[in-house]
Amino acid sequence: AETENIRRRSAEDVSKAHKYALESFAASLLPVRDSLEAALVVEAPTTESLRDGVAITGRQLAAAFEKAAITEIAPAGQRFDPHLHQAISQLESDDPPGTVVNVLQKGYRLHDRVIRPALVVVSKERATPPASPAPGAPAA
């Protein structure tokens, strides 16, 4: 009977851990939602007040991400890494081939796991223009 009670309590604990795993993250997102809702009830917002509100909301969201160990992947200038980045296109560049030359969308990690790769444009070698014939030489 004792073993069965321990097994039952353990199963309940695991169930509650799964069910409420996001409780802390959800609680840290509530101020972000409050700020967004407050912005919608302002009768005559100015551009400056909207900009300030968005900045405050962005800081609240960044704090929630930091608390939850969500970090940005912003790889501009780094070597392309298929584990962290998703190449959308290539662009001829003076940068070494395989270098991230443009970030279209930041990626994010949760601890060490990529939850969204960064969408990037990667450099490739410039195509060399065809050599022009020497003046007076017959064309091929």
Side-chain angles (χ1 to χ4, degrees):
E2 181 73 24
T3 305
E4 186 58 35
N5 284 338
I6 291 172
R7 186 175 299 145
R8 183 184 50 77
R9 276 192 234 124
S10 295
E12 287 175 5
D13 289 346
V14 169
S15 175
K16 285 179 182 178
H18 284 111
K19 187 174 182 179
Y20 299 108
L22 294 176
E23 182 176 12
S24 175
F25 183 61
S28 66
L29 287 179
L30 294 177
V32 175
R33 181 169 179 147
D34 293 342
S35 293
L36 292 171
E37 289 176 347
L40 294 175
V41 297
V42 174
E43 288 297 321
T46 64
T47 303
E48 185 176 317
S49 70
L50 286 174
R51 183 179 307 277
D52 290 345
V54 169
I56 291 167
T57 305
R59 285 193 298 271
Q60 290 172 329
L61 186 59
F65 279 15
E66 185 178 331
K67 185 176 178 183
I70 297 173
T71 56
E72 289 182 357
I73 301 171
Q78 297 176 3
R79 185 100 178 119
F80 175 76
D81 181 347
H83 297 101
L84 302 174
H85 316 137
Q86 181 178 346
I88 298 300
S89 66
Q90 289 185 312
L91 181 68
E92 291 182 358
S93 172
D94 293 330
D95 292 317
T99 301
V100 174
V101 293
N102 192 8
V103 178
L104 304 173
Q105 186 178 63
K106 293 177 191 174
Y108 290 91
R109 290 183 198 199
L110 176 59
H111 296 285
D112 293 331
R113 180 178 290 174
V114 175
I115 55 177
R116 183 176 82 188
L119 300 180
V120 299
V121 176
V122 180
S123 65
K124 67 178 182 178
E125 287 188 47
R126 290 194 183 277
T128 54
S132 54

